[in-house]
Amino acid sequence: MEDGKQYTLVVYGDLNGDTRANVLDIAKLQKIIVGATKQADVTDLVKLASDLKEDGKINILDLAKLQRLATGQNIF
């Protein structure tokens, strides 16, 4: 950018950074929810991409929304 700052674009539901929400992201979110992921691996960007309900929590409601998003169902 002209101001010398670097920005990162976060795609809701894209937990692994491959630019799309898919079954790999669903599996990763499931692991996060059940606590099977090291806290160090749950970066601020992953948290932001995981909170699809935008309520500051990462839970089963985000997983349900991600499943609909990844399968092409209307999430709104």
Side-chain angles (χ1 to χ4, degrees), residues 1 5-7 13-14 22 26-27 29-30 39 44 47 52 56-58 64 67 74-75:
M1 305 302 303
K5 294 181 182 178
Q6 182 177 354
Y7 297 89
D14 179 21
N22 56 35
I26 292 170
L29 184 53
Q30 288 172 331
Q39 285 298 92
D44 288 341
K47 288 177 187 175
L52 281 84
K57 304 172 195 170
I58 299 172
Q67 289 170 327
N74 186 355
I75 63 168

Side-chain angles (χ1 to χ4, degrees), residues 12-15 21-22 25-26 29 33 49-55 57 59-76:
Y12 282 115
D14 179 21
L15 281 63
N22 56 35
D25 302 300
I26 292 170
L29 184 53
I33 291 171
S50 298
D51 187 14
L52 281 84
K53 296 287 289 175
E54 299 182 71
D55 60 2
K57 304 172 195 170
N59 57 35
I60 194 77
L61 298 175
D62 298 301
L63 179 61
K65 196 166 183 178
L66 176 55
Q67 289 170 327
R68 291 192 307 275
L69 177 64
T71 58
Q73 298 177 29
N74 186 355
I75 63 168
F76 299 101

Side-chain angles (χ1 to χ4, degrees), residues 8-12 14-15 28 32 38-51 56 58:
T8 302
L9 178 66
V10 176
V11 177
Y12 282 115
D14 179 21
L15 281 63
K28 186 169 183 170
I32 290 170
K38 295 178 186 177
Q39 285 298 92
D41 293 336
V42 185
T43 65
D44 288 341
L45 292 177
V46 170
K47 288 177 187 175
L48 186 58
S50 298
D51 187 14
I58 299 172

